[in-house]
Amino acid sequence: MRRPSARRPPSPFRGAPRAPPLPPTDRSPQLNAAPADQIRLLDVQALDVRLQQLAHKRKSLPEHAEIESLSKDLAQLRALLVAAQTEESDCAREQAKAEQDVDQVRKRAARDQQRLDSGAVTSPKDLSNLQREIASLAKRQGDLEDIVLEVMERREAAQERVKELTERVASVQAKVDDATARRDRALEEIDTEVASVTREREAVAAAVPADLLKFYDKLREQYGGIGAAKLHQRTCQGCRQELAITELNDIRAAAPDAVVRCENCRRILVRTAESGL
């Protein structure tokens, strides 16, 4: 009698969903363009590179950093100048108040001295009180005059500080104005060249087939501003990588009007007499 065979446990992989297929290589429908049009695309690329360089130059002018640094210094100096002017103004008010107090004490002492000298006060007690008050007013006047002198010294120091800072503000402002003028001249020169290159780019691009130009512009946006590169001595000038022999063979076999791409960087590869095929 045959013994029933033991049933194998179900495989954990049986019936499991298959892994999704790997994404396809970045390929687009085959384009065809005359070799002359493809070479003309390199001219468009060169002009686009120049426009990129001009845009970078526009943003990285040394005058930008110079103006920013000078403007920070100028803002700090102006803040210090306002503080010094405020101090000088406060000292002026304090001096005026102290001088007014001195004048009041002086006038009161003069009136008391006049009473004392007139002989109108005959009572010994009143005379003694009047003399003490005159002595007290003399001391008070001396103290107030010392205060006036101290405030005057602080005011003079503040005035000197205001004068110094005013000159420094004017000096830095002149540097800002000079740097701004240099920056504006440089920007004007860059903008003039940008306008010229843009016109030239429009003229050259107008001679490139619309579908090829559209594809190039798409790649240029995807790959850092470079959409087409020359194949020079078996090396892609877009990624600077030498092509593998299989890739070279594929390019050799491609029709002259076929638009081929670098397998490494996916940019359009333009074949010339110097491609080394």
Side-chain angles (χ1 to χ4, degrees), residues 36-107:
D37 290 333
Q38 295 189 43
I39 291 176
R40 193 173 289 112
L41 198 60
L42 292 177
D43 296 333
V44 176
Q45 178 66 82
L47 293 169
D48 283 334
V49 168
R50 182 53 184 160
L51 288 173
Q52 284 181 300
Q53 292 171 341
L54 290 170
H56 176 73
K57 182 179 180 180
R58 198 179 201 282
K59 290 194 295 186
S60 59
L61 285 173
E63 286 80 6
H64 291 316
E66 183 180 358
I67 291 171
E68 182 179 0
S69 176
L70 288 171
S71 296
K72 289 180 180 178
D73 293 343
L74 186 60
Q76 292 176 352
L77 287 172
R78 282 176 171 165
L80 292 174
L81 177 58
V82 169
Q85 290 171 332
T86 301
E87 182 181 359
E88 194 277 333
S89 179
D90 291 343
C91 287
R93 285 194 297 271
E94 189 177 348
Q95 180 182 341
K97 176 65 169 59
E99 289 175 345
Q100 183 180 9
D101 292 343
V102 170
D103 187 59
Q104 290 176 348
V105 171
R106 185 184 295 115
K107 287 179 180 179

Side-chain angles (χ1 to χ4, degrees), residues 209-249:
D211 55 349
L212 178 61
L213 185 64
K214 181 179 180 181
F215 186 49
Y216 157 78
D217 284 333
K218 177 183 176 182
L219 294 178
R220 187 165 61 88
E221 292 178 4
Q222 292 177 344
Y223 301 118
I226 305 296
K230 181 190 294 186
L231 177 59
H232 181 76
Q233 296 300 316
R234 303 180 181 182
T235 298
C236 171
Q237 297 302 297
C239 59
R240 303 293 177 177
Q241 295 292 321
E242 184 175 352
L243 274 60
I245 187 65
T246 55
E247 188 176 356
L248 288 171
N249 289 335

Side-chain angles (χ1 to χ4, degrees), residues 155-194:
R155 185 182 180 186
E156 289 175 358
Q159 289 172 334
E160 287 296 323
R161 181 69 170 158
V162 168
K163 179 181 178 182
E164 174 197 355
L165 288 169
T166 300
E167 293 173 352
R168 291 175 63 184
V169 165
S171 174
V172 175
Q173 182 63 63
K175 293 179 181 179
V176 170
D177 294 342
D178 175 69
T180 301
R182 286 187 279 109
R183 179 203 63 188
D184 291 345
R185 286 194 299 270
L187 290 176
E188 185 177 357
E189 292 176 1
I190 291 172
D191 290 344
T192 298
E193 186 174 355
V194 166

Side-chain angles (χ1 to χ4, degrees), residues 4-19:
S5 59
R7 180 177 296 178
R8 294 181 180 179
S11 170
F13 301 104
R14 185 174 299 170
R18 294 184 177 181

